[in-house]
Amino acid sequence: MKVFVLLALVAAATAWPSFGSDSLQGYQSDAAKEYSVKQKQHHVNSLLWKIYDHLHDAELKEMADTFDPEADTSIYSDGGDAVHHLLQEDKDHRLLEQHHWFSLFNPRQREEALMLFDVLIHCTSWDCFVHNAAYWHEHINEGEFVYALYTAVIHSKVAEGVILPPLYEVTPHMFTNSEVIMEAYAAKMKNTPGKFNMAFTGTKKNHEQRVAYFGEDIGMNTHHVTWHMDFPFWWQDSYGHHLDRKGELFFWVHHQLTARFDSERLSNWLDTVGELHWDETIVEGFAPHTMYKYGGEFPPRPDNVHFEDVDGVARVRDMLIMESRIRDAIAHGYITSKDGSHISIMNEEGIDKLGDIIESSMYSPNIQYYGQLHNLAHIMLGRQGDPHGKYNMTPGVMEHFETATRDPSFFRLHKYMDNIFKEHKDTLPPYTKEDLEFAGISVEEINVDGELRTYFEKYEFDLRNAVDSAEGIEEVELKAIVPRLNHNDFSFIADVNNNNDAEKLATFRIYMCPHFDNNGQAYTFENGHWHCIEMDKFWKKLSPGNNHVIRKSSESSVTVPDVPHFQSLIDYADGKSEEIPEHYSACGIPNRMLLPKGKENGMEFALILAVTDGEHDATHDHDEESEHGGSHAQCGTHGEIYPDKRPMGFPLDRRIPDRRVFDQAPNFKYSLGSYFFVSYC
């Protein structure tokens, strides 16, 4: 993944020519027209600002009014097939109207959004891309447009360098309590600026309120939805490239979300999250206190609901059958492909195939047989408030990646699927000394420089896109203030001996594991390894002799910094600010959430460092300065092969019946007897 930096504007933008109605059919794209990254950024900013209004930008409005998408099909790599199809759907009045809710889990609405994505991804120039985006901004449902534009910018080469504004400032109602939205509307009507405190959902009567700061964190929500845009389940290689190890990444990113949630629960005197079962009650209900821009409130779910069939979607028995078939495949050690052949999963690649099946990915070898466990599960949970459509309720929070983690059932669902993955991992042979060792390398010490201390801070984000605008009425400042978890800066410090005569490239793998469960019972190496959270993974060249390695917490390949505010992107693209926002992706755990909250008097964690052979691990030549896009550990490297050959979670991903294998590996260090305390202040 490349680090994108907005480039300085070299020359003034050439005025876009006006096309009258007589010249539409003769429109030819100016393929040679050059757009700076700054101009592209301005276009994307203008397309996403006040998404529910008509275009305000004069240049884009002229594009929308005068552009004929079919006039010149040479501007598309598919000869215009995608745009012909979408235009026909529009002419036949089959597209979802504007000012209506959108859910990616709704098959027809997803199909329409992907029709637009198909058009944009086949544009061979930014000229084609922005003209189509402007045109369809005025013709297609707003939610479908936002989804198609975001995924197209992420995956299209012609959009390289563009920074997407944070979704929580583009569609704030999906990330904000409805009470705050109503306060913002009231302030807007009075034309009075306002800042509004946003509380987490629930009260002290609900013990899940203790960990709401994790599931409702807007940065965590952004990471979750962005990961599913980087690795969409509907992706096909015909769009331009293969998403390497997509199924395994699905497993790993959700396993880590669940493990981190468990550490947050332990930080708040709660048991680790339990898995849900299709034939048992959903113990915890949820009242989202969140509203759609159009469509009303997100529906609540009461406590102790029994799963019911969802009309037109899935029956409870369907879910049990899919689960049974997947577990049978794990027990047999192979999956049955569409042509009836057997594909072994008793190897390092098996988790990737299993992930494709469970996620309901288009990469699944046999969707018809193994079904769509993950996607249907989200819909089943989202609809339990109105499973038969009796009240015509809108989709629940579980039917949107932006809002899913707000619901405690999200983590119960993913603990359920995580346990299926663990069942597979436990069938694989444990790692041997030969699998673990790195000849001539020994870790003498692993430590931390700086206090592991967490705290809550207040964060402000823009609400102006949540409210309506009127021509001639000046915008007023509207902001939400939300508490969010953060931590003091710290560094990992390791002393590693290279007893070889030559320099060696090493992979550093750092994990942190809770020492006690909620009952004060110590985790053993065997039953605790699945709860470990990945803190960092990076490459370092080791000189012969002793190497003192320092790695800052801010450099972690697991995390990303905050996405630049929408207004900062506007100011820079419009020349009002010289500050260059440096950002590469919103996919990654927020850096401020690298540490779990811990407890007031400290919470014990074990620190684990595995130093493995970087030459063996690396999928391609690189030096120690390469960070592969920054957040490669959970988000890969965009458009490239995953940089690490080892299984994700190595060497803690398999069962550990005898920890002496690790004790005898000098390149492995476990902080036994010197636990690290994470304290909350």
Side-chain angles (χ1 to χ4, degrees):
M1 188 180 292
K2 299 175 183 176
V3 177
F4 296 143
V5 178
L6 293 185
L7 304 180
L9 184 60
V10 177
T14 304
W16 186 254
S18 174
F19 295 101
S21 57
D22 294 338
S23 63
L24 279 177
Q25 296 303 316
Y27 167 76
Q28 297 290 323
S29 170
D30 184 358
K33 182 176 177 62
E34 294 290 336
Y35 290 91
S36 70
V37 177
K38 214 169 188 181
Q39 288 172 297
K40 295 179 183 181
Q41 186 70 52
H42 171 79
H43 290 154
V44 170
N45 292 343
S46 300
L47 287 164
L48 292 171
W49 185 258
K50 296 288 181 180
I51 188 63
Y52 294 97
D53 293 349
H54 291 295
L55 290 167
H56 296 284
D57 183 82
E59 179 189 9
L60 293 180
K61 191 175 188 306
E62 184 174 10
M63 291 182 188
D65 292 342
T66 61
F67 177 62
D68 179 359
E70 289 181 303
D72 178 11
T73 57
S74 69
I75 63 178
Y76 307 103
S77 60
D78 66 343
D81 291 345
V83 79
H84 291 324
H85 178 55
L86 182 53
L87 279 168
Q88 190 60 52
E89 294 288 301
D90 189 28
K91 291 173 184 176
D92 292 342
H93 305 289
R94 286 173 49 82
L95 299 180
L96 179 68
E97 71 265 26
Q98 295 188 324
H99 293 185
H100 189 285
W101 57 262
F102 161 73
S103 170
L104 188 67
F105 287 98
N106 181 296
R108 173 58 191 179
Q109 294 179 4
R110 178 173 68 247
E111 181 184 3
E112 293 179 12
L114 296 190
M115 288 179 199
L116 177 54
F117 171 83
D118 212 11
V119 172
L120 297 176
I121 203 69
H122 283 106
C123 279
T124 57
S125 67
W126 183 256
D127 189 62
C128 165
F129 191 103
V130 68
H131 274 74
N132 271 284
Y135 178 88
W136 290 108
H137 181 286
E138 304 296 280
H139 290 80
I140 204 167
N141 173 269
E142 299 91 347
E144 294 175 351
F145 177 82
V146 169
Y147 184 79
L149 183 67
Y150 264 74
T151 50
V153 168
I154 288 170
H155 292 282
S156 174
K157 291 182 179 179
V158 304
E160 196 167 279
V162 173
I163 299 174
L164 287 162
L167 270 169
Y168 50 80
E169 292 188 334
V170 175
T171 55
H173 50 281
M174 299 290 282
F175 298 84
T176 315
N177 290 351
S178 51
E179 293 87 351
V180 169
I181 296 294
M182 298 308 294
E183 288 183 284
Y185 265 110
K188 175 69 174 178
M189 290 177 67
K190 299 173 184 176
N191 205 34
T192 304
K195 295 183 180 182
F196 316 104
N197 290 311
M198 189 173 83
F200 298 121
T201 304
T203 69
K204 291 182 179 180
K205 293 181 180 180
N206 179 6
H207 61 267
E208 293 295 328
Q209 167 73 10
R210 299 183 208 169
V211 287
Y213 65 86
F214 184 83
E216 297 183 30
D217 185 272
I218 58 175
M220 191 63 74
N221 299 154
T222 300
H223 160 57
H224 184 235
V225 67
T226 305
W227 187 91
H228 281 283
M229 288 177 174
D230 277 14
F231 298 92
F233 62 84
W234 46 261
W235 183 268
Q236 301 180 65
D237 290 351
S238 58
Y239 290 128
H241 60 274
H242 180 74
L243 299 179
D244 187 50
R245 294 170 70 175
K246 178 177 173 297
E248 186 176 7
L249 276 165
F250 171 80
F251 147 69
W252 183 240
V253 74
H254 289 90
H255 167 69
Q256 282 295 292
L257 273 176
T258 307
R260 285 179 172 276
F261 185 62
D262 278 343
S263 283
E264 298 297 344
R265 294 179 69 85
L266 293 173
S267 298
N268 290 279
W269 311 99
L270 295 171
D271 290 333
T272 56
V273 68
E275 65 176 328
L276 59 75
H277 299 275
W278 299 113
D279 50 359
E280 296 180 8
T281 59
I282 312 170
V283 177
E284 297 295 342
F286 183 59
H289 287 259
T290 308
M291 64 191 299
Y292 286 93
K293 174 70 173 179
Y294 297 99
E297 296 272 346
F298 280 81
R301 183 187 65 252
D303 289 343
N304 300 313
V305 168
H306 284 271
F307 274 109
E308 292 189 40
D309 298 344
V310 176
D311 294 354
V313 176
R315 298 167 295 185
V316 174
R317 71 177 184 182
D318 295 333
M319 309 305 291
L320 291 167
I321 289 170
M322 284 185 283
E323 176 189 339
S324 177
R325 289 175 176 176
I326 293 168
R327 291 189 187 276
D328 279 349
I330 293 170
H332 284 116
Y334 64 81
I335 56 179
T336 304
S337 67
K338 192 174 183 180
D339 63 7
S341 61
H342 292 172
I343 303 172
S344 175
I345 56 174
M346 295 297 293
N347 48 48
E348 291 185 353
E349 293 74 34
I351 189 70
D352 190 47
K353 297 296 182 185
L354 200 60
D356 287 334
I357 286 172
I358 291 175
E359 189 204 3
S360 325
S361 165
M362 293 300 292
Y363 283 2
S364 171
N366 196 341
I367 295 176
Q368 182 175 354
Y369 182 70
Y370 292 108
Q372 306 174 54
L373 184 65
H374 172 259
N375 286 1
L376 291 179
H378 269 265
I379 301 173
M380 289 285 284
L381 279 163
R383 298 287 178 85
Q384 288 308 303
D386 185 25
H388 309 299
K390 182 179 179 181
Y391 306 106
N392 194 31
M393 297 177 77
T394 52
V397 294
M398 286 293 289
E399 294 175 78
H400 303 272
F401 289 127
E402 299 97 317
T403 57
T405 62
R406 299 172 68 91
D407 190 337
S409 71
F410 170 87
F411 296 101
R412 284 156 177 73
L413 169 64
H414 280 282
K415 176 60 75 77
Y416 155 75
M417 287 186 282
D418 197 50
N419 285 343
I420 296 176
F421 284 120
K422 186 176 187 299
E423 190 173 316
H424 161 68
K425 285 285 189 177
D426 286 348
T427 65
L428 301 177
Y431 292 117
T432 64
K433 182 175 181 291
E434 290 70 31
D435 294 326
L436 299 175
E437 67 182 1
F438 185 6
I441 303 299
S442 61
V443 180
E444 302 304 319
E445 185 179 4
I446 173 69
N447 216 318
V448 170
D449 180 23
E451 191 176 15
L452 299 182
R453 183 168 288 273
T454 63
Y455 58 91
F456 280 93
E457 65 180 8
K458 291 184 177 181
Y459 180 71
E460 296 182 1
F461 64 95
D462 203 330
L463 289 178
R464 285 177 293 169
N465 279 325
V467 299
D468 296 320
S469 297
E471 191 172 347
I473 303 297
E474 187 178 349
E475 291 283 348
V476 295
E477 184 182 78
L478 302 170
K479 291 188 176 181
I481 303 174
V482 60
R484 64 179 195 173
L485 187 65
N486 206 338
H487 60 77
N488 294 341
D489 290 336
F490 64 93
S491 298
F492 295 110
I493 298 175
D495 286 306
V496 183
N497 276 335
N498 176 7
N499 299 309
N500 300 284
D501 293 332
E503 186 178 67
K504 292 289 184 179
L505 180 65
T507 313
F508 282 66
R509 305 168 189 275
I510 305 176
Y511 299 91
M512 200 163 73
C513 318
H515 181 35
F516 293 108
D517 66 15
N518 194 41
N519 294 316
Q521 295 296 308
Y523 284 113
T524 66
F525 210 48
E526 167 63 5
N527 64 22
H529 73 98
W530 201 250
H531 295 286
C532 295
I533 56 179
E534 184 180 30
M535 302 299 287
D536 205 351
K537 177 169 62 178
F538 61 96
W539 282 265
K540 187 75 176 176
K541 288 182 179 177
L542 300 177
S543 303
N546 183 64
N547 293 261
H548 186 66
V549 179
I550 300 174
R551 177 74 168 184
K552 295 179 182 178
S553 59
S554 59
E555 297 173 323
S556 172
S557 63
V558 173
T559 67
V560 292
D562 288 333
V563 183
H565 283 295
F566 202 160
Q567 188 60 53
S568 69
L569 296 176
I570 292 172
D571 290 344
Y572 183 77
D574 293 352
K576 296 177 182 178
S577 170
E578 293 302 317
E579 185 179 351
I580 303 175
E582 295 187 21
H583 197 73
Y584 41 82
S585 175
C587 180
I589 301 291
N591 183 266
R592 56 188 171 76
M593 300 182 78
L594 181 61
L595 286 177
K597 181 175 77 68
K599 296 176 180 177
E600 187 174 356
N601 295 322
M603 179 176 169
E604 290 183 68
F605 284 88
L607 199 59
I608 293 177
L609 171 62
V611 179
T612 58
D613 188 346
E615 293 294 343
H616 174 273
D617 300 343
T619 54
H620 47 74
D621 292 335
H622 66 283
D623 57 39
E624 64 179 349
E625 301 303 322
S626 176
E627 288 297 333
H628 305 281
S631 58
H632 64 83
Q634 292 189 20
C635 300
T637 306
H638 190 62
E640 298 180 16
I641 296 173
Y642 191 78
D644 183 13
K645 290 179 185 176
R646 300 279 195 173
M648 295 172 200
F650 177 83
L652 304 179
D653 60 311
R654 297 189 188 180
R655 56 192 175 91
I656 307 172
D658 188 348
R659 63 158 295 162
R660 288 176 296 179
V661 175
F662 287 82
D663 292 339
Q664 294 167 6
N667 56 305
F668 183 90
K669 193 72 172 179
Y670 180 75
S671 60
L672 184 64
S674 56
Y675 295 97
F676 294 86
F677 288 82
V678 178
S679 302
Y680 161 68
C681 62

